[in-house]
Amino acid sequence: MIVACCKSNLSERYPRSLCKKASWGSRNIFFGDFFRFLTYHAVPGKVLSTSLEAGEVVTVEGSPVEISLADGVKVNDANVVTADIEASNGVIHVIDKVILPPQG
C-alpha cells in the first residue's frame, strides 16, 4: 500500500504520479487519502465495548466521531454489528458502513 497524502505537505515525498484519482461515493479522492479514511476508523488505545461511553472520541486521523449508545452502539451513523474482536494490536468493532471524515 502506498501511503501518500497528495493534498498535504507530505506530497513532496511522493511523486504526484503515484496518486491516482478515484470516486468514493459522491467524493473524488486520491488513493493517498486512503490513509486519512483508514485512520478515521481507528481510535488510540484498547477500548472494549464494556468501557464505551456516549460522546465524542478523537480518532487517530484527528477528527472526532460521535459514539451513541441510545439505540444499540453507533459510531456516527454506522451501527456496530460485532464488538470486541481482540487483535494483537488492539480491539476491532465491526461497523456496517464506511464512515467519512469531515471534508476540509
Side-chain angles (χ1 to χ4, degrees), residues 77-81 94-98:
D77 63 342
N79 298 297
V80 174
V81 294
V94 180
I95 57 177
D96 64 354
K97 63 172 69 175
V98 173

Side-chain angles (χ1 to χ4, degrees), residues 40-73:
Y40 186 66
H41 286 77
V43 296
K46 182 177 180 177
V47 183
L48 295 170
S49 61
T50 54
S51 61
L52 283 177
E53 295 180 10
E56 281 192 352
V57 177
V58 177
T59 66
V60 173
E61 182 266 341
S63 301
V65 291
E66 182 70 29
I67 305 296
S68 170
L69 306 174
D71 186 27
V73 179

